[in-house]
Amino acid sequence: MKSTLSRGNSGSLGSGGREDMAKWRFPAGHALPIGDGGRMDEDGIHTLRARARAIFDAGVAAADPGRAVAGWLARGELAPPGPGGRAVVIAVGKAALRMAEAAQATLGPVETLVVTNYENAVPHPGMTVLAAGHPVPDANGAAAAQEVLARLSRAGEANHVLALVSGGGSALLPAPADDISLADKAEVNRLLLASGAGIEEMNLVRQNLSRLKGGGFVRAASPARVTALILSDVVGDDLRVIASGPTVAPIGGRDAARAALRARGLWDRLPDAVQRHLSAPEPEATPMPAARNVLVGSNALSVAAMVAAGAVAHPHPLVGDVADAAAEVLEAALALQPGQALAFGGETTVTLRGHGLGGRNQELALRVALAAAGRGLSGNWAFLAGGSDGRDGPTEAAGGLVDAGTAGRIAAAGLDPAALLADNDSNRALAAAGDLVITGATGTNVADLAVFVRAGT
């Protein structure tokens, strides 16, 4: 059995209600003024923060990938292999290990390959577990992609391939087209991440540079039958976008990819090999082999769980630029009644203009904290924004949990919160305030979740 040890913390789901409250104590001397000029009720703030964390944890717990896979397999709809054939499980993404565990628990001993991120990779009996880089693809991911292609090429007509797909699979499985290097793909990924491109734009480009994305998995497996169980980390659950759609038709062709890159001002910055590849004529179209694709979990289901935990749902996901999303959060918060909590799903984008460290959820939380008083939000409140996978950007934090005293705590630490925000240094700002949310890797991924809680009367 091959396996790779995790580099990060394993983390647990749904533990927010059992957190040691000392974890949320403010640094000594930081009972700071709130927006209306009163003094912060420290015990009240702790209660609000704990409630926000508990609601967030309920959303993450609802995205349990093992439960989602087991529930579908228990329905008995997975067709058996043909005569003399066998089942093959290939799980890819941040939730891959837990999805594979559930499949083996139901199907029994079966050939299983897992490709996941370093934080979630642990040895497992009876499985080959490979770890790779995310969000920027690396050499381990390229080797894992070659192993996936090798196993698919050995799958005969009588075999049935069960693909378990979750968010993160796009970066974890770089299989560059023959005329493109891994370094070229990594550079394209870096440029897209820094540009503020949405996940659909990013995966449109990735599909056109890959042998596995945009249905490449199914083509490589043919003539074997393929069934894919998919855990969505994409708002709207477009199966072509999740993990760059390895088992579905692509979002678009090379013309669309070129247009998207030019619209972002990235075309002239691309590696020469990528420009040549995307400028070449489209390959001859061939029929897409049939595959069954089943959505087993999504961001919307997690928001519904947050509602069950005591929140009301915002009417639509938070998407687009993080600054616009912060304004939307505050506008909605002003309409809340005392004691209400508002749950959000979605996935925002950040255009990098500075050189700091952070992620979209940390920046969203910091923006809300800095703009709240100016928008007339008075009294005690708490706002948590976090990634359901436990990791926000290239940091160890899942996101941030801020309140009316956040800006004051940053300033009291000798830092300028506005300057840190301008430098995209939300991680440093929230660390100074004691406002980072650290969950460790959760083993799932259904995009981002957020909750705003207002104090009661």
Side-chain angles (χ1 to χ4, degrees):
M1 177 196 74
K2 296 181 182 177
S3 61
T4 304
L5 292 175
S6 169
R7 294 195 310 185
N9 298 324
S10 61
S12 59
L13 299 178
S15 62
R18 301 186 296 275
E19 291 283 339
D20 179 357
M21 290 301 291
K23 182 174 181 178
W24 302 116
R25 303 301 293 181
F26 303 132
H30 283 253
L32 300 171
I34 58 176
D36 61 1
R39 299 296 295 180
M40 181 178 293
D41 175 359
E42 189 170 315
D43 289 337
I45 286 291
H46 292 322
T47 300
L48 290 174
R49 290 170 70 97
R51 184 181 176 201
R53 178 61 191 268
I55 292 172
F56 172 79
D57 282 348
V60 176
D64 184 333
R67 185 168 60 189
V69 169
W72 188 84
L73 290 175
R75 291 157 54 179
E77 295 183 17
L78 183 68
R86 57 193 172 84
V88 178
V89 174
I90 298 180
V92 179
K94 293 184 178 179
L97 184 59
R98 296 179 67 173
M99 295 177 83
E101 288 173 340
Q104 282 206 345
T106 302
L107 302 176
V110 60
E111 178 187 337
T112 301
L113 173 64
V114 172
V115 182
T116 193
N117 53 312
Y118 293 112
E119 295 85 352
N120 287 332
V122 294
H124 197 289
M127 299 182 189
T128 300
V129 180
L130 303 178
H134 185 280
V136 177
D138 64 8
N140 286 337
Q146 287 302 120
E147 180 65 19
V148 169
L149 286 166
R151 295 197 181 206
L152 292 177
S153 71
R154 296 195 297 267
E157 185 173 4
N159 293 346
H160 194 156
V161 178
L162 177 63
L164 305 175
V165 180
S166 57
S170 191
L172 291 167
L173 273 190
D178 292 337
D179 54 348
I180 297 172
S181 70
L182 177 61
D184 291 334
K185 282 206 72 174
E187 177 60 10
V188 172
N189 222 54
R190 186 191 69 79
L191 290 170
L192 288 167
L193 286 168
S195 73
I199 190 63
E200 182 172 342
E201 293 173 89
M202 292 185 65
N203 287 355
L204 164 65
V205 174
R206 287 164 161 170
Q207 286 175 349
N208 281 278
L209 303 177
S210 172
R211 289 173 288 150
L212 272 171
K213 299 172 175 60
F217 184 106
V218 176
R219 295 181 187 278
S222 182
R225 179 184 301 190
V226 175
T227 296
L229 304 186
I230 301 170
L231 186 72
S232 173
D233 67 333
V234 173
V235 174
D237 303 326
D238 186 339
L239 301 186
R240 302 172 303 164
V241 180
I242 303 162
S244 291
T247 60
V248 297
I251 300 166
R254 295 179 183 182
D255 288 347
R258 288 197 305 273
L261 288 162
R262 287 197 169 101
R264 288 282 170 186
L266 299 179
W267 180 258
D268 292 336
R269 299 165 63 188
L270 296 174
D272 290 342
V274 173
Q275 289 188 1
R276 287 194 299 270
H277 179 85
L278 292 178
S279 298
E282 295 278 0
E284 183 179 351
T286 57
M288 178 79 178
R292 183 179 186 186
N293 293 288
V294 182
L295 185 71
V296 295
S298 70
N299 187 258
L301 294 176
S302 286
V303 172
M306 296 168 74
V307 170
V312 294
H314 191 57
H316 53 264
L318 293 176
V319 295
D321 185 78
V322 70
D324 296 334
E328 183 175 342
V329 168
L330 287 169
E331 182 177 356
L334 287 168
L336 286 178
Q337 297 298 312
Q340 275 193 313
L342 185 63
F344 304 85
E347 185 171 284
T348 63
T349 61
V350 175
T351 301
L352 295 180
R353 297 184 174 89
H355 299 89
L357 183 68
R360 59 182 179 260
N361 289 291
Q362 292 165 79
E363 183 153 329
L364 176 59
L366 181 60
R367 285 183 177 276
V368 167
L370 300 190
R375 291 296 301 271
L377 189 65
S378 61
N380 285 351
W381 54 267
F383 174 69
L384 190 158
S388 61
D389 61 354
R391 187 176 183 189
D392 185 40
T395 76
E396 294 299 315
L401 172 52
V402 298
D403 56 57
T406 292
R409 294 194 296 278
I410 297 170
L415 302 174
D416 181 343
L420 291 172
L421 178 60
D423 196 33
N424 296 120
D425 209 0
S426 54
N427 185 266
R428 185 183 180 198
L430 295 178
D435 285 353
L436 290 174
V437 174
I438 309 289
T439 63
T442 63
T444 192
N445 186 18
V446 291
D448 299 333
L449 303 170
V451 58
F452 194 103
V453 182
R454 292 206 73 167
T457 54

